Amino acid sequence: MCEHMNATSAMENLTLATSLSECDLAESASRRKLFLFFYLAIIITSIPSNAFSLYVSWQHIRQKNELGVYLFSLALSDLTFTVGLSLWLDFLWRGVWTHGGYVCVLSVYFLFTNFYTSDALLCCIAVDRYLAVVHPLKYTFLRKVGTAVVVSVAIWVLVVCFNATTITWEDSYHENNKFSVCFDIFLPLSENLARANVARFFLGFIVPVLLVLFTTWGICEAVKSNQATEEQERKRISKLLTVVLICILFCFGPVHVMMLIRILVDDCRKVAWFFYPYKISIAISTLNCLADPLLYCFITRTGKANVSKVVLFCQLKKRSKDECVV
């Protein structure tokens, strides 16, 4: 009896080991390098642009503009994620995760925290502009700096709590005698991760898209009927909402669609076709770190003014240096 149970247990272990080995998707070094250079370019561009965006958004806050609070939180979220992204460069270079499970789970936390804080804050910006244009006198208490601070803190707390319940070690980190992998795990999905992916798709993508579409439609209708709105102001509001919508659709759309499709792929041995589209969707989502600075540096009035000041300062400094040389 015991021999039979041992034989059965050994057979189960053998089957498990075989299935795990079949699920390990080897990635060529050349393809890894493409992703490596892409993420390196994101980091090099994102850190200075978001650091400057922190300064720009701080100018908004000093002027008692609630929009600055949301922009500041966006820049902070992008900078936090970009610092964590540097760990992936080593992973892509080596082809194996060498930092252990705890750091892996933390890096996944950074990824999803950036996703959903950015998502929610972009929605806050859209709603804030909607209230400012459509109901300029009705909901003024919602458009105060103090309210924006409370909303931003609440978003961070809710996102962190959501991630704490949906991100697990077993879904984020896989290690065996040969190598260890972080996040790029294509074992059969656990029930927890399947439920999390459905929640992420609807709460993190569908709801924000519908909300931004509604606010955009409302603002467009209000601007059309309000002849007092200047043409330049209309264009500025249009650009702002366009960038918000593109951020959500282009940066977060592909990865959330892939999360949903991943639920339907039960057999990990048939997931090879899914591997690179999924990795590309993750890479596209990181472009959000560059889209956010565009949002507040080049579209908002204060942002454009500060960019102009920096450009003017650099031009004057270069001119004075040239005069010294002459």
Side-chain angles (χ1 to χ4, degrees):
M1 182 69 174
C2 290
E3 289 180 0
H4 176 71
M5 291 178 62
N6 290 336
T8 304
S9 177
M11 184 62 70
E12 289 175 352
N13 290 336
L14 179 61
T15 304
L16 179 61
T18 303
S19 64
L20 288 177
S21 65
E22 288 171 342
C23 291
D24 293 336
L25 296 175
E27 187 176 11
S28 67
S30 60
R31 287 186 175 179
R32 286 204 318 271
K33 297 292 171 59
L34 287 175
F35 285 106
L36 187 150
F37 290 127
F38 177 83
Y39 287 128
L40 184 60
I42 292 289
I43 292 171
I44 292 172
T45 311
S46 176
I47 290 178
S49 61
N50 279 291
F52 181 70
S53 300
L54 282 176
Y55 167 75
V56 171
S57 55
W58 180 247
Q59 301 307 309
H60 280 269
I61 296 172
R62 289 181 62 186
Q63 295 173 8
K64 304 298 181 183
N65 186 342
E66 79 286 348
L67 188 64
V69 177
Y70 301 128
L71 300 177
F72 189 90
S73 295
L74 265 174
L76 190 63
S77 174
D78 290 341
L79 276 175
T80 304
F81 169 68
T82 304
V83 172
L85 188 62
S86 59
L87 293 171
W88 294 89
L89 298 182
D90 179 68
F91 178 38
L92 290 167
W93 181 262
R94 299 171 185 265
V96 62
W97 184 264
T98 60
H99 305 290
Y102 289 107
V103 178
C104 169
V105 173
L106 186 62
S107 68
V108 176
Y109 263 90
F110 282 155
L111 175 68
F112 283 106
T113 298
N114 175 257
F115 276 3
Y116 301 118
T117 52
S118 295
D119 241 4
L121 290 165
L122 287 171
C123 288
C124 287
I125 291 172
V127 171
D128 179 83
R129 295 300 85 194
Y130 173 81
L131 295 177
V133 175
V134 181
H135 304 288
L137 303 176
K138 194 173 181 181
Y139 300 103
T140 54
F141 68 96
L142 293 175
R143 298 181 51 241
K144 292 183 178 180
V145 171
T147 304
V149 170
V150 171
V151 171
S152 297
V153 171
I155 286 171
W156 280 89
V157 171
L158 288 173
V159 170
V160 168
C161 290
F162 177 78
N163 287 339
T165 58
T166 55
I167 296 173
T168 62
W169 182 296
E170 62 192 42
D171 293 324
S172 305
Y173 183 69
H174 173 59
E175 183 178 10
N176 58 28
N177 295 330
K178 295 180 180 180
F179 59 88
S180 54
V181 179
C182 180
F183 194 58
D184 290 339
I185 301 173
F186 288 90
L187 303 176
L189 283 186
S190 65
E191 289 186 10
N192 176 72
L193 186 55
R195 287 194 298 267
N197 281 358
V198 173
R200 287 166 181 162
F201 179 78
F202 285 101
L203 297 178
F205 178 60
I206 296 298
V207 171
V209 166
L210 293 177
L211 184 60
V212 173
L213 284 174
F214 169 76
T215 55
T216 303
W217 174 81
I219 289 173
C220 289
E221 290 298 311
V223 168
K224 283 180 184 177
S225 61
N226 186 1
Q227 299 299 324
T229 306
E230 296 180 2
E231 185 65 25
Q232 188 176 358
E233 183 69 8
R234 293 183 187 184
K235 289 180 179 179
R236 189 180 65 81
I237 294 172
S238 176
K239 286 179 183 178
L240 181 69
L241 293 175
T242 300
V243 173
V244 169
L245 193 58
I246 288 174
C247 280
I248 294 176
L249 285 175
F250 179 74
C251 296
F252 299 126
V255 68
H256 282 89
V257 171
M258 287 296 168
M259 285 182 192
L260 204 62
I261 294 174
R262 178 72 179 90
I263 299 172
L264 306 176
V265 184
D266 294 328
D267 189 349
C268 61
R269 288 168 293 187
K270 298 178 181 178
V271 83
W273 64 270
F274 179 82
F275 186 60
Y276 285 107
Y278 182 77
K279 288 181 71 71
I280 290 169
S281 71
I282 294 291
I284 290 173
S285 69
T286 62
L287 290 172
N288 168 62
C289 296
L290 302 181
D292 291 341
L294 175 69
L295 180 70
Y296 32 76
C297 281
F298 299 103
I299 293 178
T300 61
R301 283 201 198 97
T302 309
K304 290 174 74 172
N306 281 286
V307 169
S308 299
K309 286 179 183 178
V310 171
V311 172
L312 181 61
F313 174 77
C314 292
Q315 288 176 345
L316 291 173
K317 194 171 182 181
K318 183 180 179 182
R319 189 179 303 167
S320 62
K321 187 182 292 186
D322 292 340
E323 288 174 356
C324 289
V325 171
V326 174

